[in-house]
Amino acid sequence: MDTSKHKLGLVGATFFIIASLAGSGVIALPQQLAAVGSITLLSFLLVTAGAFCLTLVYVRAGALFDNPSPTALSAYVNPLLGAKSGLFYVYSNLISNVSILIAGLGYLTYFVPSLNHPIVLGCVVITLIWVFTFLALRGAKFITMVVSCSVTALLLSVVITAVFGWMSFDVSLFEQNWNVSHLPQGRAVLSGFAVLLFSYVGVEAVANNYELVNNPKRNVPIATIVGFLVVAVLYIISTTVIEGMFTAKVIQAQPASFSLSIAHIFGSKLLGQLSSLVMAIACLSSFLVWNLSVVSAAKTSADHGFLPKIYSYTNKYKVGSRGLLVNAVLMTCTEIALMFFGSNIALAFNLTVTISVLLVLFPYFWSGIALIKKGFESGNHSVFDITIASLSSVFLISAFVSADFAELWMVVVCIMLALAAYSLVFAYQKGNRE
């Protein structure tokens, strides 16, 4: 069967990256950053520079490795690291997927305030997990077609805010919002790193799905860089504008920040509500992209023997259908835990973002080391490769520094539980084989 018609071209791959980043990242940013203040503009510039270095790591890896996904690169550094990093990458992104749905539903509170109740929120999230999982079984081509339309509509609201929002921008208000957290300047800048890094988690989305891209050696690097730059520019300009349009208190109280800006720019509450609906749909549909990316990464790990073989199975669309079902069960368990803790939208989003970001730093870090190791082993030392890998490593380590003690302990607990489950599953499989 010819599967090329189900693969992505350059435009499709670029939208795949944009959907991975913009769909979930940008709409939740203003509210999260408002708790610190407009000083996070400095955080944004630093994180964008670091994330761009990480993007270049995957671009270079695409030219040097047959499989440039984070799990495969970690395995190249060391098989043991590949096993553990693959585990961290897959399951950190499953937690992140839950936060994507929560962020999208935050925009629907405009219409359904009861979504802020933990039980209602949990039931809706679990329902969406399974609906979107079955949609993902149709493959990357179908998903990109759906998501491209919704993300284009989302970006329209962001672009309108980034362009016309300046007409309502108040410099004195921006200065008033500068550091509402009252933290020391350096700590305030660092405190925004986790949520900002979450906004850029996804730069490796096409690399994870290189098997689903036509002519990946050419299309993956171009799509990755173009997609990143488009989203980065929109991120920085649009969030900066909003911080000069409203007080930090108003932004913190409104999950649908871009709907707030659209209503203000056009003086129409109806357009604000319409924008909220469009952005919610776009954010929720970006879950489709990430669901597919995670199962593709899991397949890579399973093919190396690092995850259960159930992840290696693919259907006629080259999608890990059984892995998707396993992941849906795990995401359902994550949301049930959030329901148990009584987490509303803001708390649930912050909790899932923090844990997922800190876990995903491990495979990101080893990806840069793989690039340097490749140069040493080939005898072709590239100053450029060493530089971008080193800068991305400093950036990733700084994200750990930005976490507080309680957040780090949550990550330690998650690692302990994941490794315990990992060991027991493989012990069970080994026992059955014998």
Side-chain angles (χ1 to χ4, degrees), residues 87 90-91 94 291 294-303 306-315 319-330 425-426 429:
L87 180 70
V90 170
Y91 294 113
L94 290 181
N291 210 16
V294 175
V295 82
S296 295
K299 180 182 182 301
T300 299
S301 288
D303 290 344
F306 301 148
L307 285 179
K309 284 297 179 184
I310 191 170
Y311 282 109
S312 292
Y313 175 84
T314 58
N315 63 13
V319 172
S321 52
R322 294 176 183 174
L324 280 172
L325 297 177
V326 172
N327 288 349
V329 171
L330 294 172
V425 168
F426 275 92
Q429 289 183 336

PDB file of all heavy atoms in Angstrom, residues 87 90-91 94 291 294-303 306-315 319-330 425-426 429:
ATOM      1  N   LEU A  87      11.072   7.046  28.714  1.00  0.00           N
ATOM      2  CA  LEU A  87       9.985   6.944  29.683  1.00  0.00           C
ATOM      3  C   LEU A  87       9.550   8.332  30.151  1.00  0.00           C
ATOM      4  O   LEU A  87       8.361   8.667  30.166  1.00  0.00           O
ATOM      5  CB  LEU A  87      10.440   6.105  30.878  1.00  0.00           C
ATOM      6  CG  LEU A  87       9.416   5.889  31.994  1.00  0.00           C
ATOM      7  CD1 LEU A  87       8.308   4.969  31.530  1.00  0.00           C
ATOM      8  CD2 LEU A  87      10.097   5.312  33.233  1.00  0.00           C
ATOM      9  N   VAL A  90       7.809  10.389  27.182  1.00  0.00           N
ATOM     10  CA  VAL A  90       6.458   9.951  26.838  1.00  0.00           C
ATOM     11  C   VAL A  90       5.466  10.339  27.920  1.00  0.00           C
ATOM     12  O   VAL A  90       4.411  10.934  27.650  1.00  0.00           O
ATOM     13  CB  VAL A  90       6.436   8.428  26.600  1.00  0.00           C
ATOM     14  CG1 VAL A  90       4.995   7.921  26.483  1.00  0.00           C
ATOM     15  CG2 VAL A  90       7.206   8.082  25.327  1.00  0.00           C
ATOM     16  N   TYR A  91       5.805  10.044  29.162  1.00  0.00           N
ATOM     17  CA  TYR A  91       4.823  10.257  30.222  1.00  0.00           C
ATOM     18  C   TYR A  91       4.742  11.709  30.679  1.00  0.00           C
ATOM     19  O   TYR A  91       3.709  12.145  31.182  1.00  0.00           O
ATOM     20  CB  TYR A  91       5.086   9.286  31.371  1.00  0.00           C
ATOM     21  CG  TYR A  91       4.837   7.863  30.916  1.00  0.00           C
ATOM     22  CD1 TYR A  91       5.863   6.937  30.804  1.00  0.00           C
ATOM     23  CD2 TYR A  91       3.560   7.476  30.503  1.00  0.00           C
ATOM     24  CE1 TYR A  91       5.638   5.663  30.325  1.00  0.00           C
ATOM     25  CE2 TYR A  91       3.322   6.206  30.021  1.00  0.00           C
ATOM     26  CZ  TYR A  91       4.360   5.296  29.930  1.00  0.00           C
ATOM     27  OH  TYR A  91       4.126   4.052  29.439  1.00  0.00           O
ATOM     28  N   LEU A  94       2.274  13.036  28.263  1.00  0.00           N
ATOM     29  CA  LEU A  94       0.901  12.626  28.564  1.00  0.00           C
ATOM     30  C   LEU A  94       0.287  13.571  29.595  1.00  0.00           C
ATOM     31  O   LEU A  94      -0.882  13.961  29.486  1.00  0.00           O
ATOM     32  CB  LEU A  94       0.875  11.185  29.086  1.00  0.00           C
ATOM     33  CG  LEU A  94       1.201  10.093  28.070  1.00  0.00           C
ATOM     34  CD1 LEU A  94       1.119   8.719  28.720  1.00  0.00           C
ATOM     35  CD2 LEU A  94       0.272  10.159  26.867  1.00  0.00           C
ATOM     36  N   ASN A 291      -1.105  14.153  20.791  1.00  0.00           N
ATOM     37  CA  ASN A 291      -1.427  12.749  21.033  1.00  0.00           C
ATOM     38  C   ASN A 291      -0.663  11.865  20.055  1.00  0.00           C
ATOM     39  O   ASN A 291      -0.119  10.811  20.423  1.00  0.00           O
ATOM     40  CB  ASN A 291      -2.929  12.543  20.879  1.00  0.00           C
ATOM     41  CG  ASN A 291      -3.454  11.429  21.752  1.00  0.00           C
ATOM     42  OD1 ASN A 291      -2.789  10.989  22.688  1.00  0.00           O
ATOM     43  ND2 ASN A 291      -4.655  10.976  21.468  1.00  0.00           N
ATOM     44  N   VAL A 294       3.255  11.972  20.837  1.00  0.00           N
ATOM     45  CA  VAL A 294       3.647  11.163  21.996  1.00  0.00           C
ATOM     46  C   VAL A 294       3.684   9.685  21.644  1.00  0.00           C
ATOM     47  O   VAL A 294       4.610   8.968  22.022  1.00  0.00           O
ATOM     48  CB  VAL A 294       2.687  11.409  23.174  1.00  0.00           C
ATOM     49  CG1 VAL A 294       3.014  10.469  24.335  1.00  0.00           C
ATOM     50  CG2 VAL A 294       2.790  12.848  23.651  1.00  0.00           C
ATOM     51  N   VAL A 295       2.689   9.221  20.910  1.00  0.00           N
ATOM     52  CA  VAL A 295       2.671   7.792  20.586  1.00  0.00           C
ATOM     53  C   VAL A 295       3.776   7.443  19.587  1.00  0.00           C
ATOM     54  O   VAL A 295       4.320   6.330  19.604  1.00  0.00           O
ATOM     55  CB  VAL A 295       1.279   7.371  20.051  1.00  0.00           C
ATOM     56  CG1 VAL A 295       1.107   7.699  18.569  1.00  0.00           C
ATOM     57  CG2 VAL A 295       1.046   5.892  20.290  1.00  0.00           C
ATOM     58  N   SER A 296       4.177   8.402  18.739  1.00  0.00           N
ATOM     59  CA  SER A 296       5.294   8.176  17.825  1.00  0.00           C
ATOM     60  C   SER A 296       6.605   8.064  18.604  1.00  0.00           C
ATOM     61  O   SER A 296       7.451   7.221  18.316  1.00  0.00           O
ATOM     62  CB  SER A 296       5.397   9.317  16.806  1.00  0.00           C
ATOM     63  OG  SER A 296       4.275   9.343  15.962  1.00  0.00           O
ATOM     64  N   ALA A 297       6.770   8.924  19.616  1.00  0.00           N
ATOM     65  CA  ALA A 297       7.954   8.857  20.468  1.00  0.00           C
ATOM     66  C   ALA A 297       7.970   7.546  21.251  1.00  0.00           C
ATOM     67  O   ALA A 297       9.032   6.928  21.435  1.00  0.00           O
ATOM     68  CB  ALA A 297       7.982  10.042  21.424  1.00  0.00           C
ATOM     69  N   ALA A 298       6.805   7.113  21.707  1.00  0.00           N
ATOM     70  CA  ALA A 298       6.712   5.852  22.448  1.00  0.00           C
ATOM     71  C   ALA A 298       7.082   4.668  21.554  1.00  0.00           C
ATOM     72  O   ALA A 298       7.723   3.712  22.007  1.00  0.00           O
ATOM     73  CB  ALA A 298       5.302   5.679  22.995  1.00  0.00           C
ATOM     74  N   LYS A 299       6.694   4.749  20.274  1.00  0.00           N
ATOM     75  CA  LYS A 299       7.042   3.678  19.338  1.00  0.00           C
ATOM     76  C   LYS A 299       8.554   3.579  19.175  1.00  0.00           C
ATOM     77  O   LYS A 299       9.119   2.474  19.121  1.00  0.00           O
ATOM     78  CB  LYS A 299       6.391   3.930  17.979  1.00  0.00           C
ATOM     79  CG  LYS A 299       6.702   2.849  16.941  1.00  0.00           C
ATOM     80  CD  LYS A 299       6.070   3.156  15.601  1.00  0.00           C
ATOM     81  CE  LYS A 299       6.356   2.033  14.608  1.00  0.00           C
ATOM     82  NZ  LYS A 299       7.812   1.815  14.401  1.00  0.00           N
ATOM     83  N   THR A 300       9.220   4.729  19.079  1.00  0.00           N
ATOM     84  CA  THR A 300      10.683   4.725  18.968  1.00  0.00           C
ATOM     85  C   THR A 300      11.314   4.029  20.167  1.00  0.00           C
ATOM     86  O   THR A 300      12.219   3.199  20.026  1.00  0.00           O
ATOM     87  CB  THR A 300      11.216   6.173  18.880  1.00  0.00           C
ATOM     88  OG1 THR A 300      10.670   6.793  17.712  1.00  0.00           O
ATOM     89  CG2 THR A 300      12.741   6.191  18.788  1.00  0.00           C
ATOM     90  N   SER A 301      10.836   4.353  21.363  1.00  0.00           N
ATOM     91  CA  SER A 301      11.358   3.723  22.573  1.00  0.00           C
ATOM     92  C   SER A 301      11.054   2.226  22.600  1.00  0.00           C
ATOM     93  O   SER A 301      11.890   1.410  22.992  1.00  0.00           O
ATOM     94  CB  SER A 301      10.769   4.400  23.819  1.00  0.00           C
ATOM     95  OG  SER A 301      11.314   5.676  24.006  1.00  0.00           O
ATOM     96  N   ALA A 302       9.847   1.865  22.175  1.00  0.00           N
ATOM     97  CA  ALA A 302       9.464   0.456  22.166  1.00  0.00           C
ATOM     98  C   ALA A 302      10.292  -0.334  21.157  1.00  0.00           C
ATOM     99  O   ALA A 302      10.677  -1.486  21.409  1.00  0.00           O
ATOM    100  CB  ALA A 302       7.976   0.332  21.844  1.00  0.00           C
ATOM    101  N   ASP A 303      10.592   0.283  20.008  1.00  0.00           N
ATOM    102  CA  ASP A 303      11.411  -0.389  18.989  1.00  0.00           C
ATOM    103  C   ASP A 303      12.828  -0.665  19.497  1.00  0.00           C
ATOM    104  O   ASP A 303      13.486  -1.605  19.063  1.00  0.00           O
ATOM    105  CB  ASP A 303      11.481   0.463  17.721  1.00  0.00           C
ATOM    106  CG  ASP A 303      10.154   0.516  16.981  1.00  0.00           C
ATOM    107  OD1 ASP A 303       9.285  -0.322  17.274  1.00  0.00           O
ATOM    108  OD2 ASP A 303       9.981   1.407  16.127  1.00  0.00           O
ATOM    109  N   PHE A 306      12.780  -0.199  25.027  1.00  0.00           N
ATOM    110  CA  PHE A 306      12.732   0.613  26.247  1.00  0.00           C
ATOM    111  C   PHE A 306      11.328   0.763  26.818  1.00  0.00           C
ATOM    112  O   PHE A 306      11.161   1.167  27.963  1.00  0.00           O
ATOM    113  CB  PHE A 306      13.317   2.005  25.984  1.00  0.00           C
ATOM    114  CG  PHE A 306      14.740   1.994  25.514  1.00  0.00           C
ATOM    115  CD1 PHE A 306      15.203   2.965  24.644  1.00  0.00           C
ATOM    116  CD2 PHE A 306      15.621   1.007  25.933  1.00  0.00           C
ATOM    117  CE1 PHE A 306      16.516   2.967  24.207  1.00  0.00           C
ATOM    118  CE2 PHE A 306      16.936   0.993  25.502  1.00  0.00           C
ATOM    119  CZ  PHE A 306      17.390   1.981  24.633  1.00  0.00           C
ATOM    120  N   LEU A 307      10.316   0.510  26.004  1.00  0.00           N
ATOM    121  CA  LEU A 307       8.932   0.564  26.451  1.00  0.00           C
ATOM    122  C   LEU A 307       8.230  -0.712  25.983  1.00  0.00           C
ATOM    123  O   LEU A 307       8.730  -1.407  25.081  1.00  0.00           O
ATOM    124  CB  LEU A 307       8.221   1.800  25.882  1.00  0.00           C
ATOM    125  CG  LEU A 307       8.562   3.157  26.508  1.00  0.00           C
ATOM    126  CD1 LEU A 307       7.799   4.278  25.805  1.00  0.00           C
ATOM    127  CD2 LEU A 307       8.278   3.186  27.996  1.00  0.00           C
ATOM    128  N   PRO A 308       7.093  -1.059  26.570  1.00  0.00           N
ATOM    129  CA  PRO A 308       6.379  -2.281  26.170  1.00  0.00           C
ATOM    130  C   PRO A 308       6.122  -2.343  24.663  1.00  0.00           C
ATOM    131  O   PRO A 308       5.863  -1.327  24.021  1.00  0.00           O
ATOM    132  CB  PRO A 308       5.075  -2.190  26.967  1.00  0.00           C
ATOM    133  CG  PRO A 308       5.427  -1.393  28.182  1.00  0.00           C
ATOM    134  CD  PRO A 308       6.432  -0.375  27.699  1.00  0.00           C
ATOM    135  N   LYS A 309       6.176  -3.557  24.127  1.00  0.00           N
ATOM    136  CA  LYS A 309       6.052  -3.756  22.679  1.00  0.00           C
ATOM    137  C   LYS A 309       4.701  -3.346  22.112  1.00  0.00           C
ATOM    138  O   LYS A 309       4.568  -3.182  20.893  1.00  0.00           O
ATOM    139  CB  LYS A 309       6.320  -5.236  22.343  1.00  0.00           C
ATOM    140  CG  LYS A 309       7.782  -5.613  22.377  1.00  0.00           C
ATOM    141  CD  LYS A 309       8.557  -4.847  21.312  1.00  0.00           C
ATOM    142  CE  LYS A 309      10.041  -5.192  21.324  1.00  0.00           C
ATOM    143  NZ  LYS A 309      10.790  -4.361  20.354  1.00  0.00           N
ATOM    144  N   ILE A 310       3.729  -3.166  22.973  1.00  0.00           N
ATOM    145  CA  ILE A 310       2.413  -2.750  22.484  1.00  0.00           C
ATOM    146  C   ILE A 310       2.495  -1.414  21.751  1.00  0.00           C
ATOM    147  O   ILE A 310       1.718  -1.127  20.842  1.00  0.00           O
ATOM    148  CB  ILE A 310       1.409  -2.665  23.661  1.00  0.00           C
ATOM    149  CG1 ILE A 310      -0.018  -2.507  23.114  1.00  0.00           C
ATOM    150  CG2 ILE A 310       1.758  -1.518  24.616  1.00  0.00           C
ATOM    151  CD1 ILE A 310      -1.091  -2.654  24.185  1.00  0.00           C
ATOM    152  N   TYR A 311       3.497  -0.587  22.102  1.00  0.00           N
ATOM    153  CA  TYR A 311       3.670   0.706  21.446  1.00  0.00           C
ATOM    154  C   TYR A 311       4.238   0.562  20.029  1.00  0.00           C
ATOM    155  O   TYR A 311       4.185   1.509  19.248  1.00  0.00           O
ATOM    156  CB  TYR A 311       4.600   1.599  22.261  1.00  0.00           C
ATOM    157  CG  TYR A 311       3.955   2.236  23.467  1.00  0.00           C
ATOM    158  CD1 TYR A 311       4.282   1.829  24.751  1.00  0.00           C
ATOM    159  CD2 TYR A 311       3.028   3.257  23.324  1.00  0.00           C
ATOM    160  CE1 TYR A 311       3.687   2.421  25.869  1.00  0.00           C
ATOM    161  CE2 TYR A 311       2.433   3.852  24.421  1.00  0.00           C
ATOM    162  CZ  TYR A 311       2.765   3.425  25.688  1.00  0.00           C
ATOM    163  OH  TYR A 311       2.179   4.015  26.784  1.00  0.00           O
ATOM    164  N   SER A 312       4.804  -0.588  19.698  1.00  0.00           N
ATOM    165  CA  SER A 312       5.421  -0.781  18.379  1.00  0.00           C
ATOM    166  C   SER A 312       4.395  -1.069  17.285  1.00  0.00           C
ATOM    167  O   SER A 312       4.672  -0.902  16.097  1.00  0.00           O
ATOM    168  CB  SER A 312       6.434  -1.927  18.425  1.00  0.00           C
ATOM    169  OG  SER A 312       7.545  -1.580  19.221  1.00  0.00           O
ATOM    170  N   TYR A 313       3.217  -1.505  17.662  1.00  0.00           N
ATOM    171  CA  TYR A 313       2.197  -1.863  16.674  1.00  0.00           C
ATOM    172  C   TYR A 313       1.648  -0.607  15.991  1.00  0.00           C
ATOM    173  O   TYR A 313       1.356   0.396  16.639  1.00  0.00           O
ATOM    174  CB  TYR A 313       1.052  -2.622  17.342  1.00  0.00           C
ATOM    175  CG  TYR A 313      -0.092  -2.909  16.406  1.00  0.00           C
ATOM    176  CD1 TYR A 313      -0.065  -4.017  15.559  1.00  0.00           C
ATOM    177  CD2 TYR A 313      -1.204  -2.066  16.347  1.00  0.00           C
ATOM    178  CE1 TYR A 313      -1.108  -4.270  14.678  1.00  0.00           C
ATOM    179  CE2 TYR A 313      -2.254  -2.307  15.479  1.00  0.00           C
ATOM    180  CZ  TYR A 313      -2.201  -3.412  14.644  1.00  0.00           C
ATOM    181  OH  TYR A 313      -3.225  -3.656  13.766  1.00  0.00           O
ATOM    182  N   THR A 314       1.518  -0.652  14.660  1.00  0.00           N
ATOM    183  CA  THR A 314       0.918   0.455  13.906  1.00  0.00           C
ATOM    184  C   THR A 314      -0.208  -0.058  13.012  1.00  0.00           C
ATOM    185  O   THR A 314      -0.169  -1.201  12.547  1.00  0.00           O
ATOM    186  CB  THR A 314       1.952   1.180  13.032  1.00  0.00           C
ATOM    187  OG1 THR A 314       2.557   0.238  12.124  1.00  0.00           O
ATOM    188  CG2 THR A 314       3.044   1.810  13.887  1.00  0.00           C
ATOM    189  N   ASN A 315      -1.191   0.787  12.763  1.00  0.00           N
ATOM    190  CA  ASN A 315      -2.292   0.419  11.879  1.00  0.00           C
ATOM    191  C   ASN A 315      -1.960   0.788  10.434  1.00  0.00           C
ATOM    192  O   ASN A 315      -0.826   1.172  10.119  1.00  0.00           O
ATOM    193  CB  ASN A 315      -3.609   1.064  12.339  1.00  0.00           C
ATOM    194  CG  ASN A 315      -3.559   2.593  12.298  1.00  0.00           C
ATOM    195  OD1 ASN A 315      -2.656   3.190  11.710  1.00  0.00           O
ATOM    196  ND2 ASN A 315      -4.540   3.223  12.920  1.00  0.00           N
ATOM    197  N   VAL A 319      -0.025   4.641  12.333  1.00  0.00           N
ATOM    198  CA  VAL A 319      -0.235   5.230  13.652  1.00  0.00           C
ATOM    199  C   VAL A 319      -0.221   4.122  14.698  1.00  0.00           C
ATOM    200  O   VAL A 319      -0.793   3.047  14.487  1.00  0.00           O
ATOM    201  CB  VAL A 319      -1.585   5.984  13.705  1.00  0.00           C
ATOM    202  CG1 VAL A 319      -1.903   6.443  15.125  1.00  0.00           C
ATOM    203  CG2 VAL A 319      -1.565   7.164  12.765  1.00  0.00           C
ATOM    204  N   GLY A 320       0.425   4.395  15.828  1.00  0.00           N
ATOM    205  CA  GLY A 320       0.477   3.414  16.914  1.00  0.00           C
ATOM    206  C   GLY A 320      -0.864   3.339  17.628  1.00  0.00           C
ATOM    207  O   GLY A 320      -1.028   3.910  18.714  1.00  0.00           O
ATOM    208  N   SER A 321      -1.800   2.622  17.036  1.00  0.00           N
ATOM    209  CA  SER A 321      -3.180   2.619  17.523  1.00  0.00           C
ATOM    210  C   SER A 321      -3.312   2.020  18.922  1.00  0.00           C
ATOM    211  O   SER A 321      -4.037   2.553  19.773  1.00  0.00           O
ATOM    212  CB  SER A 321      -4.081   1.864  16.539  1.00  0.00           C
ATOM    213  OG  SER A 321      -3.538   0.588  16.248  1.00  0.00           O
ATOM    214  N   ARG A 322      -2.596   0.916  19.174  1.00  0.00           N
ATOM    215  CA  ARG A 322      -2.691   0.318  20.512  1.00  0.00           C
ATOM    216  C   ARG A 322      -2.027   1.212  21.554  1.00  0.00           C
ATOM    217  O   ARG A 322      -2.508   1.324  22.689  1.00  0.00           O
ATOM    218  CB  ARG A 322      -2.048  -1.070  20.498  1.00  0.00           C
ATOM    219  CG  ARG A 322      -2.798  -2.070  19.623  1.00  0.00           C
ATOM    220  CD  ARG A 322      -2.094  -3.409  19.548  1.00  0.00           C
ATOM    221  NE  ARG A 322      -2.794  -4.315  18.641  1.00  0.00           N
ATOM    222  CZ  ARG A 322      -2.335  -5.523  18.286  1.00  0.00           C
ATOM    223  NH1 ARG A 322      -1.184  -5.954  18.783  1.00  0.00           N
ATOM    224  NH2 ARG A 322      -3.033  -6.272  17.462  1.00  0.00           N
ATOM    225  N   GLY A 323      -0.943   1.850  21.172  1.00  0.00           N
ATOM    226  CA  GLY A 323      -0.275   2.778  22.070  1.00  0.00           C
ATOM    227  C   GLY A 323      -1.166   3.957  22.419  1.00  0.00           C
ATOM    228  O   GLY A 323      -1.169   4.450  23.554  1.00  0.00           O
ATOM    229  N   LEU A 324      -1.948   4.424  21.432  1.00  0.00           N
ATOM    230  CA  LEU A 324      -2.881   5.523  21.683  1.00  0.00           C
ATOM    231  C   LEU A 324      -3.898   5.146  22.756  1.00  0.00           C
ATOM    232  O   LEU A 324      -4.232   5.953  23.628  1.00  0.00           O
ATOM    233  CB  LEU A 324      -3.622   5.895  20.391  1.00  0.00           C
ATOM    234  CG  LEU A 324      -2.890   6.782  19.394  1.00  0.00           C
ATOM    235  CD1 LEU A 324      -3.689   6.883  18.091  1.00  0.00           C
ATOM    236  CD2 LEU A 324      -2.647   8.180  19.954  1.00  0.00           C
ATOM    237  N   LEU A 325      -4.361   3.910  22.707  1.00  0.00           N
ATOM    238  CA  LEU A 325      -5.347   3.459  23.689  1.00  0.00           C
ATOM    239  C   LEU A 325      -4.732   3.340  25.085  1.00  0.00           C
ATOM    240  O   LEU A 325      -5.357   3.711  26.089  1.00  0.00           O
ATOM    241  CB  LEU A 325      -5.947   2.118  23.249  1.00  0.00           C
ATOM    242  CG  LEU A 325      -6.724   2.150  21.920  1.00  0.00           C
ATOM    243  CD1 LEU A 325      -7.198   0.755  21.543  1.00  0.00           C
ATOM    244  CD2 LEU A 325      -7.917   3.102  22.011  1.00  0.00           C
ATOM    245  N   VAL A 326      -3.489   2.840  25.145  1.00  0.00           N
ATOM    246  CA  VAL A 326      -2.791   2.759  26.434  1.00  0.00           C
ATOM    247  C   VAL A 326      -2.610   4.158  27.017  1.00  0.00           C
ATOM    248  O   VAL A 326      -2.852   4.397  28.208  1.00  0.00           O
ATOM    249  CB  VAL A 326      -1.420   2.066  26.271  1.00  0.00           C
ATOM    250  CG1 VAL A 326      -0.604   2.164  27.561  1.00  0.00           C
ATOM    251  CG2 VAL A 326      -1.600   0.606  25.883  1.00  0.00           C
ATOM    252  N   ASN A 327      -2.175   5.096  26.161  1.00  0.00           N
ATOM    253  CA  ASN A 327      -1.962   6.461  26.623  1.00  0.00           C
ATOM    254  C   ASN A 327      -3.260   7.118  27.087  1.00  0.00           C
ATOM    255  O   ASN A 327      -3.268   7.908  28.036  1.00  0.00           O
ATOM    256  CB  ASN A 327      -1.327   7.304  25.514  1.00  0.00           C
ATOM    257  CG  ASN A 327       0.126   6.947  25.279  1.00  0.00           C
ATOM    258  OD1 ASN A 327       0.732   6.219  26.069  1.00  0.00           O
ATOM    259  ND2 ASN A 327       0.701   7.451  24.213  1.00  0.00           N
ATOM    260  N   ALA A 328      -4.353   6.791  26.410  1.00  0.00           N
ATOM    261  CA  ALA A 328      -5.644   7.349  26.816  1.00  0.00           C
ATOM    262  C   ALA A 328      -6.020   6.887  28.217  1.00  0.00           C
ATOM    263  O   ALA A 328      -6.555   7.665  29.019  1.00  0.00           O
ATOM    264  CB  ALA A 328      -6.729   6.938  25.807  1.00  0.00           C
ATOM    265  N   VAL A 329      -5.717   5.641  28.520  1.00  0.00           N
ATOM    266  CA  VAL A 329      -5.981   5.124  29.866  1.00  0.00           C
ATOM    267  C   VAL A 329      -5.144   5.873  30.894  1.00  0.00           C
ATOM    268  O   VAL A 329      -5.641   6.278  31.962  1.00  0.00           O
ATOM    269  CB  VAL A 329      -5.681   3.604  29.938  1.00  0.00           C
ATOM    270  CG1 VAL A 329      -5.745   3.113  31.378  1.00  0.00           C
ATOM    271  CG2 VAL A 329      -6.662   2.830  29.067  1.00  0.00           C
ATOM    272  N   LEU A 330      -3.857   6.090  30.582  1.00  0.00           N
ATOM    273  CA  LEU A 330      -2.959   6.781  31.516  1.00  0.00           C
ATOM    274  C   LEU A 330      -3.373   8.239  31.716  1.00  0.00           C
ATOM    275  O   LEU A 330      -3.314   8.766  32.837  1.00  0.00           O
ATOM    276  CB  LEU A 330      -1.518   6.708  31.005  1.00  0.00           C
ATOM    277  CG  LEU A 330      -0.910   5.304  30.967  1.00  0.00           C
ATOM    278  CD1 LEU A 330       0.445   5.335  30.266  1.00  0.00           C
ATOM    279  CD2 LEU A 330      -0.750   4.755  32.373  1.00  0.00           C
ATOM    280  N   VAL A 425       6.226  -3.802  34.774  1.00  0.00           N
ATOM    281  CA  VAL A 425       5.699  -4.207  33.461  1.00  0.00           C
ATOM    282  C   VAL A 425       6.683  -5.104  32.727  1.00  0.00           C
ATOM    283  O   VAL A 425       6.311  -6.149  32.175  1.00  0.00           O
ATOM    284  CB  VAL A 425       5.361  -2.958  32.605  1.00  0.00           C
ATOM    285  CG1 VAL A 425       5.112  -3.372  31.151  1.00  0.00           C
ATOM    286  CG2 VAL A 425       4.149  -2.247  33.166  1.00  0.00           C
ATOM    287  N   PHE A 426       7.958  -4.716  32.732  1.00  0.00           N
ATOM    288  CA  PHE A 426       8.953  -5.533  32.032  1.00  0.00           C
ATOM    289  C   PHE A 426       9.203  -6.859  32.743  1.00  0.00           C
ATOM    290  O   PHE A 426       9.474  -7.870  32.105  1.00  0.00           O
ATOM    291  CB  PHE A 426      10.261  -4.751  31.875  1.00  0.00           C
ATOM    292  CG  PHE A 426      10.268  -3.864  30.659  1.00  0.00           C
ATOM    293  CD1 PHE A 426       9.867  -2.547  30.740  1.00  0.00           C
ATOM    294  CD2 PHE A 426      10.647  -4.365  29.421  1.00  0.00           C
ATOM    295  CE1 PHE A 426       9.853  -1.738  29.617  1.00  0.00           C
ATOM    296  CE2 PHE A 426      10.634  -3.568  28.284  1.00  0.00           C
ATOM    297  CZ  PHE A 426      10.232  -2.255  28.379  1.00  0.00           C
ATOM    298  N   GLN A 429       6.350  -9.075  31.629  1.00  0.00           N
ATOM    299  CA  GLN A 429       6.536  -9.537  30.253  1.00  0.00           C
ATOM    300  C   GLN A 429       7.608 -10.627  30.180  1.00  0.00           C
ATOM    301  O   GLN A 429       7.456 -11.614  29.479  1.00  0.00           O
ATOM    302  CB  GLN A 429       6.941  -8.366  29.359  1.00  0.00           C
ATOM    303  CG  GLN A 429       5.816  -7.380  29.100  1.00  0.00           C
ATOM    304  CD  GLN A 429       6.213  -6.272  28.151  1.00  0.00           C
ATOM    305  OE1 GLN A 429       7.398  -5.949  28.016  1.00  0.00           O
ATOM    306  NE2 GLN A 429       5.238  -5.683  27.492  1.00  0.00           N
TER     307      GLN A 429
END
